[in-house]
Amino acid sequence: MKIAFVGKGGSGKTTLSSLFIRHLTANEAPVLAVDADINQHLGAALGLDEAESAALPAMGAHLPLIKEYLRGSNPRIASAETMIKTTPPGEGSRLLRIREDNPVFDACARPVTLDDGGIQLMATGPFTESDLGVACYHSKVGAVELCLNHLVDGPGEFVVVDMTAGSDSFASGMFTRFDMTFLVAEPTRKGVSVYRQYKEYARDFGVALKVVGNKVRDQDDLEFLRAEVGDDLLVTVGHSDWVRAMEKGRPPRFEMLEAENRLALQSLQDAAEDSYAHRDWERYTRQMVHFHLKNAESWGNEKTGADLASQVDPAFVLSERYAEISPAS
C-alpha cells in the first residue's frame, strides 16, 4: 500500500506519519518511509538525532543514478537525460520492489531502527543555499515521483510518504500515486480549508481521501470536524504525553503510547488495507501517462529536446505481476 500524509503546516502530519510508521513496524509490516516535505522532520520524528538526520542522502542529488537504473533496457527511452519526473515505465524498464536490494535504495535509503523493528527511510533533501531564488521545491520531489511511478508494492507492504504542506502536493501528478491519502486536520477553519482544497482536486482523479482529526480536545472540536468534513472523518487524535516526550527527544517505548491513540492508528491501517481491494492498476497507469503527456507538452519536450510522448508504451500496464519478476539486468 502506498500511503500519503498531507495537511497544512503545523497540523501534525509529520508526527502522525511517524506514529503510523511505528505502528506498522510493531505489527511486523515492511515499511519504506519517504520524507517529501520541504521541511525535513520525519527523520527526527522517528528518533534520529540532528547529525543522523543531516546525513540522510538527498534523493535529488542522486537523480542521474535513479534515472539510469530505472531506464533499464526500455527502448523507448533514448537516454537517462531525456527522462523527467513523470516518465512512465514500459517494457524493459527496471522496477523497484520494497523488499529488495538495488542501487537506488543503496544510494538513497538508510535503515532506521525503531522499538519494534527496522524500516528504510528516504528523503528528498532540504533546500540548499544554491537553490534559493532559482529552484522550485517541486524539482526536489521529482525523484520521489519517478520512483513511485516505477514501484511495485504488494499486499502487506507499506510505502508511507510525508508530503509537503498545504495544497502544493497537487502541483504534480504525485497525489494520484497513493492507495490512501490521510489528511491531518485540526478543528479550525484553516484546518478544514485545506481539506476542501484536497477534496476538490482529488474528486476528478478518484483519490481515496480520509481525514484524521488532530489536536481534538473535546466534544465541541469533534462536532466541528464532523460538521465540516462529514463521512470523510475517519478518526480523531487528542493530546498525547508520549508524543510530548518524543518531541523532547526522550520518548518511552512505543508500546507505552496511549491505548486510544493505538486504536486510532489501527483504524488508519484498517482503512488503508480495506482500500487495497479497490486498486485499479489500469487507471493508475493511465493517470501516470496523463501527467507525463501534460508535463511533456508544457515544458519537458523543450527542456530535453526530445518528443517525450514517444516514451509511453501503450501496451504496458504496471501491476503486481511484476512484483516477483527479477529486475532487468
Side-chain angles (χ1 to χ4, degrees):
M1 309 299 298
K2 302 181 186 76
I3 311 297
F5 279 82
V6 299
K8 78 173 186 66
S11 64
K13 69 176 181 61
T14 298
T15 297
L16 264 295
S17 300
S18 70
L19 292 177
F20 186 58
I21 291 166
R22 292 174 187 269
H23 170 80
L24 292 174
T25 305
N27 285 348
E28 301 183 343
V31 178
L32 173 65
V34 182
D35 190 346
D37 195 354
I38 190 169
N39 299 305
Q40 304 271 281
H41 295 315
L42 184 58
L46 291 170
L48 299 186
D49 61 30
E50 188 173 336
E52 291 169 328
S53 294
L56 290 172
M59 293 178 69
H62 294 281
L63 194 53
L65 178 151
I66 293 172
K67 289 180 177 180
E68 190 59 53
Y69 179 76
L70 297 179
R71 175 189 171 216
S73 59
N74 187 335
R76 294 176 177 272
I77 303 175
S79 67
E81 288 73 23
T82 62
M83 292 180 73
I84 61 174
K85 64 181 182 178
T86 54
T87 295
E91 204 63 42
S93 295
R94 290 191 180 98
L95 303 177
L96 302 174
R97 297 156 191 84
I98 293 176
R99 288 181 276 192
E100 70 171 5
D101 295 323
N102 60 58
V104 174
F105 291 168
D106 289 344
C108 302
R110 292 295 179 266
V112 176
T113 302
L114 304 175
D115 289 341
D116 299 293
I119 66 161
Q120 291 288 323
L121 174 62
M122 303 171 76
T124 59
F127 252 46
T128 64
E129 188 172 323
S130 61
D131 293 321
L132 296 178
V134 297
C136 164
Y137 185 67
H138 307 124
S139 65
K140 293 289 185 181
V141 298
V144 179
E145 186 168 357
L146 192 59
C147 286
L148 290 177
N149 280 353
H150 289 74
L151 185 95
V152 182
D153 54 307
E157 299 177 332
F158 288 85
V159 180
V160 180
V161 182
D162 181 23
M163 298 282 278
T164 193
S167 57
D168 281 355
S169 302
F170 288 93
S172 72
M174 197 160 76
F175 73 97
T176 65
R177 304 297 84 202
F178 302 101
D179 297 288
M180 177 62 69
T181 296
F182 291 125
L183 188 145
V184 181
E186 300 168 271
T188 64
R189 292 173 64 185
K190 285 186 178 180
V192 299
S193 68
V194 174
Y195 159 76
R196 293 196 185 97
Q197 286 180 301
Y198 266 80
K199 185 72 172 178
E200 180 180 348
Y201 294 148
R203 185 180 293 114
D204 294 338
F205 292 92
V207 173
L209 180 68
K210 289 294 182 183
V211 174
V212 181
N214 194 27
K215 306 176 186 178
V216 175
R217 297 182 300 179
D218 51 31
Q219 188 65 26
D220 185 64
D221 284 350
L222 177 59
E223 290 177 358
F224 174 82
L225 285 173
R226 283 176 174 166
E228 295 293 332
V229 308
D231 293 339
D232 285 338
L233 182 63
L234 176 64
V235 72
T236 62
V237 178
H239 173 77
S240 171
D241 289 334
W242 193 96
V243 169
R244 180 58 62 87
M246 177 195 75
E247 292 173 341
K248 292 177 179 177
R250 46 177 187 267
R253 287 190 59 82
F254 184 65
E255 64 196 39
M256 302 302 293
L257 181 71
E258 299 85 359
E260 62 271 24
N261 289 330
R262 291 295 293 268
L263 288 173
L265 294 172
Q266 185 60 50
S267 294
L268 299 189
Q269 183 176 353
D270 292 343
E273 291 178 339
D274 287 346
S275 73
Y276 185 81
H278 303 291
R279 265 193 170 186
D280 185 341
W281 286 103
E282 289 190 1
R283 183 182 70 183
Y284 186 81
T285 305
R286 186 169 61 250
Q287 290 174 342
M288 191 189 309
V289 170
H290 166 80
F291 283 103
H292 179 62
L293 295 177
K294 190 175 180 180
N295 278 268
E297 183 177 351
S298 63
W299 61 271
N301 290 344
E302 182 178 355
K303 180 176 181 180
T304 63
D307 176 14
L308 300 185
S310 64
Q311 294 180 342
V312 176
D313 184 343
F316 184 86
V317 175
L318 189 68
S319 72
E320 263 174 51
R321 75 183 183 88
Y322 292 101
E324 302 303 324
I325 300 176
S326 297
S329 59

